[in-house]
Amino acid sequence: MEAKKIKYPYLPEGSTILYVPISNPYMAEAKQYAKKYYDKLWQAGAAVVVKNNQVIGLGSIGNNPTHLQGCERIKQNMPTGQGYDLCDGCNPKFHSEPSAIRDAQSKGNDTSGADLYLWGHWWFCEPCWNAMIAAGVRNVYLLENSEMLFNRENPDNIIGKQFE
């Protein structure tokens, strides 16, 4: 679970992204939650908030009904991290990370010191980092090799076939 040397589109100073294999139970749960809400999403993702070895929150951009009408960003083939204003469903407040944090907090859970696992993406946007930092999330985890698997620019990505 060591940090990698990857050039992310955004990474706050002093922050680190850690990596785990799909055999990690929390990453596996994030994948299953993303699959549950995959529907018409091109690049489904889901986040799991964990504290004291318990899942306390789940979130997926796929369970946002706005996406089911079709995403304008996808239609226009927008680069990752751009054009959020074109689709209400892509608004960062509906991203998996803040959705999972809201889910945890709505159940009365304290998210300070919690960990967050994100499946389906290879980086965290600035609004999501801000939400995680404000919630006191301690560590953030991505699937190992996610910088290849979920990066549209990588020819070996699995986008569109991530649940096969």
Side-chain angles (χ1 to χ4, degrees):
M1 293 193 301
E2 67 185 59
K4 294 184 173 191
K5 301 287 185 201
I6 297 170
K7 182 160 175 50
Y8 303 101
Y10 180 77
L11 183 67
E13 189 173 327
S15 295
T16 304
I17 297 174
L18 302 172
Y19 292 83
V20 294
I22 193 59
S23 60
N24 176 285
Y26 305 122
M27 188 59 69
E29 186 162 351
K31 179 182 179 182
Q32 285 308 113
Y33 197 68
K35 185 176 181 179
K36 179 179 178 179
Y37 291 107
Y38 185 47
D39 288 346
K40 296 179 184 176
L41 286 179
W42 180 60
Q43 190 166 351
V48 174
V49 179
V50 177
K51 188 168 183 179
N52 299 324
N53 296 316
Q54 296 285 330
V55 173
I56 62 171
L58 295 166
S60 171
I61 198 166
N63 63 356
N64 180 339
T66 308
H67 263 129
L68 303 181
Q69 299 165 12
C71 175
E72 194 60 35
R73 290 181 67 243
I74 293 171
K75 291 175 190 173
Q76 293 188 28
N77 198 29
M78 294 296 299
T80 184
Q82 295 180 19
Y84 290 141
D85 58 317
L86 298 175
C87 174
D88 288 338
C90 289
N91 185 309
K93 70 180 177 182
F94 296 122
H95 286 185
S96 301
E97 304 93 306
S99 294
I101 291 166
R102 274 193 311 276
D103 180 57
Q105 293 171 341
S106 73
K107 296 173 183 172
N109 293 305
D110 177 13
T111 55
S112 61
D115 295 329
L116 187 139
Y117 295 78
L118 178 67
W119 188 90
H121 295 286
W122 70 279
W123 65 287
F124 302 90
C125 69
E126 183 175 359
C128 288
W129 270 110
N130 291 342
M132 293 184 296
I133 292 167
V137 170
R138 179 182 57 179
N139 293 310
V140 295
Y141 296 90
L142 293 174
L143 179 65
E144 62 187 3
N145 300 315
S146 60
E147 72 281 2
M148 175 197 70
L149 299 172
F150 303 116
N151 185 342
R152 286 196 267 179
E153 296 176 12
N154 188 302
D156 296 321
N157 74 60
I158 61 170
I159 298 167
K161 48 189 183 280
Q162 59 267 49
F163 298 112
E164 294 176 4

